[in-house]
């Protein structure tokens, strides 16, 4: 007997969990809509180079976690599943010449991402993100607007006390001097570095700061801070982002060691954590400014900022807080029949009602009317539409299962009658 299981690090979302995710997606879409972000789709896979160049070769996401697709024979292109949405959105922005549209172009994507990560609670190989990007605005006001939208998402989703960790990681003007100092610092501790980090010391010293290696915590904590190296322009930008956040009432904490794990960031960087969980490695979401990425992927210099929120982690947080899964709405009506064998009539009437937009189930099991009605009640249907001899002259019995009343209704009026009841009872 074969016994198949979902691949390691993936999970089936059974209807209860899917309903929870749909609820989060609806909140995300509503917030995006209110903020002027338009939803788009990008492929689930891209040329690997989009991620290698965009996110950076010497990052965990590319070096260790990229889901590469085995090339087919004769195919020279190399593909990978998307580990995030930003690089793909930027690729699309460039490909479709979106710089000719009124700027900023505000885009949003909701969907699954893939990272070949070591699976654990809250860390999956397929996970869902709500991603939002504002492209073509140098900020700083839009930085705060983006951060506020993400923060509001958690509030509307019901995750309480989410904290924003905020930092500025400088730009092309001031970061090189900082990187030099950082490199010198870690070089002085080279013997204490794990092998991967030692390699990155030359290629990408910033990444040592977001190492997942807990043994490096003390070393990272004592490392030089970018805050002490910011140029005047970055300093002013950062101060203004904070002033805008204060004005809209978003609480944040400045976290000088937070540099994010992807290479494309400049200036504003932020992460969201559950209150009291800032010390943990699992952020609920994160984002930042990436003024160089559009150019890096072949477009003109375009300032941009965005975030991605991990929806699986929000579901987990809600579950841990004891939130109930959204309840499944009962059908407005179940079509039952006096003649157990006459499934044709039951299906036909249900089909007519569904064509009118109503949520109506047909009892298709061949069993006695009493049993059919019992199941309808158990499902908490408001009505039973009972098909009997009256159908010959176009009538059915409409039984209100809650009130216990019953009357004859013509088939022509049935949809209208049900719709009226649905409106007053919030069914269907
Ligand atoms: P990120 O920090 O790599 O940023 O991911 C954002 C969020 O996705 C994380 O905070 C986390 O909640 C969730 N996440 C990441 N990996 C996993 C995983 N293996 N399992 C479950 N959840 C996960 C980005 O992806 C950037 N694209 C954000 C951005 C948009 N920056 C600018 N624009």
């Amino acid at each position: 007997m074969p016994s198949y299981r979902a691949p390691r690090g993936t999970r089936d979302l059974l209807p209860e969990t899917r309903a929870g995710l749909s609820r989060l997606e609806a909140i995300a879409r509503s917030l995006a809509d209110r903020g002027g972000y338009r939803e788009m789709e990008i492929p689930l896979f891209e040329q690997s180079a989009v991620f290698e160049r965009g996110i950076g070769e010497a990052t965990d996401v590319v070096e260790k976690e990229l889901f590469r697709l085995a090339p087919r024979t004769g195919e020279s292109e190399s593909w990978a599943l998307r580990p995030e949405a930003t690089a793909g959105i930027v690729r699309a922005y460039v490909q479709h010449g979106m710089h000719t549209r009124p700027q900023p172009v505000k885009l949003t994507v909701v969907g699954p991402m893939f990272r070949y990560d070591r699976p654990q609670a809250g860390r999956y190989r397929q996970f869902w993100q709500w991603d939002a990007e504002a492209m073509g605005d140098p900020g700083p006001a839009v930085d705060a607007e983006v951060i506020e939208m993400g923060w509001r998402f958690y509030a509307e989703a019901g995750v309480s006390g989410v904290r924003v960790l905020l930092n500025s990681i400088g730009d092309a003007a001031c970061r090189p001097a900082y990187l030099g100092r950082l490199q010198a610092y870690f070089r002085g501790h080279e013997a204490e570095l794990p092998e991967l980090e030692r390699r990155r010391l030359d290629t990408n010293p910033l990444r040592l700061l977001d190492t997942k290696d807990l043994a490096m915590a003390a070393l990272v904590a004592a490392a030089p801070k970018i805050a002490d190296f910011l140029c005047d322009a970055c300093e002013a930008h950062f101060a203004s982002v904070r002033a805008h956040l204060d004005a809209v009432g978003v609480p944040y904490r400045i976290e000088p060691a937070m540099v994010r794990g992807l290479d494309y960031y400049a200036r504003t960087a932020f992460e969201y954590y559950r209150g009291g969980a800032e010390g943990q490695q699992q952020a609920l979401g994160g984002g930042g400014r990436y003024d160089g990425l559009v150019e890096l992927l072949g477009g003109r210099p375009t300032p941009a900022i965005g975030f991605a929120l991990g929806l699986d982690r929000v579901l987990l947080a809600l579950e841990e807080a004891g939130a109930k899964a959204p309840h499944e709405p009962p059908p407005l009506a179940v079509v039952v029949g006096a003649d157990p064998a006459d499934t044709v009539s039951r299906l036909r009437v249900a089909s007519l009602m569904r064509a009118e937009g109503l949520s109506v189930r047909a009892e298709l099991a061949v069993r006695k009317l009493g049993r059919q009605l019992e199941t309808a009640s158990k499902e908490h249907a408001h009505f039973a539409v009972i098909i009997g001899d009256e159908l010959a002259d176009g009538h059915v019995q409409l039984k209100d299962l809650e009130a216990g009343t019953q009357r004859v209704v013509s088939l022509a009026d049935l949809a209208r009658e049900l719709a009226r009841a649905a409106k007053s009872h919030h069914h269907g």
Side-chain angles (χ1 to χ4, degrees):
M1 270 292 243
S3 143
Y4 300 113
R5 304 183 65 84
R8 199 165 118 79
T10 71
R11 46 198 196 125
D12 301 309
L13 303 183
L14 301 187
E16 310 77 66
T17 317
R18 198 13 168 142
L21 180 61
S22 298
R23 178 181 157 268
L24 296 183
E25 289 173 331
I27 296 169
R29 292 197 167 101
S30 158
L31 274 166
D33 202 43
R34 281 178 264 164
Y37 289 77
R38 300 198 59 199
E39 189 169 6
M40 69 175 294
E41 294 290 343
I42 47 169
L44 295 186
F45 61 96
E46 299 264 357
Q47 294 173 21
S48 310
V50 170
F51 307 122
E52 289 157 355
R53 282 194 69 98
I55 297 166
E57 300 265 10
T59 57
D60 278 357
V61 170
V62 166
E63 210 166 22
K64 296 198 264 180
E65 297 164 6
L66 205 56
F67 248 106
R68 294 175 185 279
L69 304 180
R72 291 169 162 271
T73 12
E75 178 118 54
S76 58
E77 206 66 73
S78 141
W79 312 99
L81 296 182
R82 64 184 190 191
E84 54 115 52
T86 312
I89 292 173
V90 168
R91 193 265 312 135
Y93 178 92
V94 174
Q95 179 179 339
H96 302 286
M98 292 174 92
H99 64 277
T100 59
R101 301 185 179 203
Q103 308 287 302
V105 175
K106 292 159 114 185
L107 302 168
T108 184
V109 163
V110 192
M113 309 294 157
F114 305 85
R115 294 186 194 180
Y116 198 77
D117 221 337
R118 198 152 53 88
Q120 51 186 278
R123 196 174 289 287
Y124 307 106
R125 288 182 173 172
Q126 174 175 346
F127 58 96
W128 272 259
Q129 278 188 346
W130 172 33
D131 184 283
E133 313 287 352
M135 311 181 57
D137 184 334
V142 74
D143 301 36
E145 187 185 52
V146 164
I147 294 171
E148 194 259 357
M149 183 166 74
W151 179 74
R152 189 167 297 286
F153 171 81
Y154 299 110
E156 294 195 2
V159 187
S160 55
V162 168
R163 286 284 287 271
V164 180
L165 299 193
L166 184 68
N167 197 18
S168 172
I169 59 168
D171 64 7
C174 52
R175 204 175 324 150
Y178 170 65
L179 291 181
R181 182 69 72 83
L182 197 62
Q183 218 161 22
Y185 167 81
F186 280 118
R187 218 163 250 134
H189 298 272
E190 208 164 332
E192 301 157 53
L193 298 181
E195 203 217 301
L196 174 73
E197 319 297 340
R198 205 172 309 151
R199 244 188 309 130
R200 287 186 180 170
L201 191 48
D202 293 317
T203 51
N204 199 350
L206 202 59
R207 292 285 71 86
L208 271 66
L209 293 183
D210 58 79
T211 176
K212 287 181 183 142
D213 200 316
L214 292 174
M216 278 182 62
L219 207 55
V220 167
K225 303 283 181 288
I226 179 75
D228 300 323
F229 292 78
L230 292 184
C231 57
D232 289 349
C234 283
E235 195 74 77
H237 188 274
F238 192 29
S240 182
V241 172
R242 291 182 333 244
H244 282 85
L245 284 176
D246 293 338
V248 288
V250 175
Y252 57 88
R253 197 180 79 198
I254 295 179
E255 184 55 62
M258 196 257 298
V259 294
R260 308 271 304 130
L262 316 165
D263 277 356
Y264 47 60
Y265 292 114
R267 294 191 168 171
T268 311
F270 56 94
E271 282 178 347
Y272 302 96
Y273 282 87
R274 280 165 78 187
E278 293 95 334
Q280 296 185 2
Q281 296 224 325
Q282 293 208 342
L284 287 177
R289 180 161 279 290
Y290 51 94
D291 293 347
L293 183 57
V294 177
E295 205 179 351
L296 194 65
L297 294 184
R300 331 174 159 205
T302 308
I305 184 164
F307 65 56
L309 312 187
L311 301 184
D312 305 77
R313 290 184 186 174
V314 175
L315 286 177
L316 274 179
L318 290 171
E319 213 172 274
E320 276 169 33
K324 284 204 189 67
H327 77 287
E328 197 183 327
L332 173 62
V334 176
V335 184
V336 299
D339 174 3
D342 186 9
T343 49
V344 166
S345 299
R346 301 204 283 279
L347 180 59
R348 193 167 63 83
V349 171
S351 160
L352 287 172
M353 294 306 108
R354 290 172 197 160
E356 297 296 325
L358 299 168
S359 160
V360 172
R361 194 179 70 75
E363 179 54 74
L364 298 180
V366 179
R367 52 185 170 192
K368 291 213 175 82
L369 178 58
R371 293 284 309 284
Q372 297 181 43
L373 284 166
E374 258 170 48
T375 2
S377 300
K378 266 194 208 137
E379 281 185 64
H380 301 293
H382 193 105
F383 292 100
V385 175
I386 307 172
I387 294 175
D389 297 338
E390 313 89 340
L391 189 66
D393 67 346
H395 289 80
V396 294
Q397 300 269 352
L398 182 59
K399 183 178 170 111
D400 185 326
L401 293 169
E402 282 172 27
T405 55
Q406 188 167 328
R407 65 203 160 90
V408 175
V409 175
S410 93
L411 209 46
D413 292 338
L414 183 61
R416 200 166 344 115
E417 294 276 336
L418 286 173
R420 190 182 314 142
K423 221 180 246 162
S424 55
H425 288 93
H426 309 291
H427 276 280

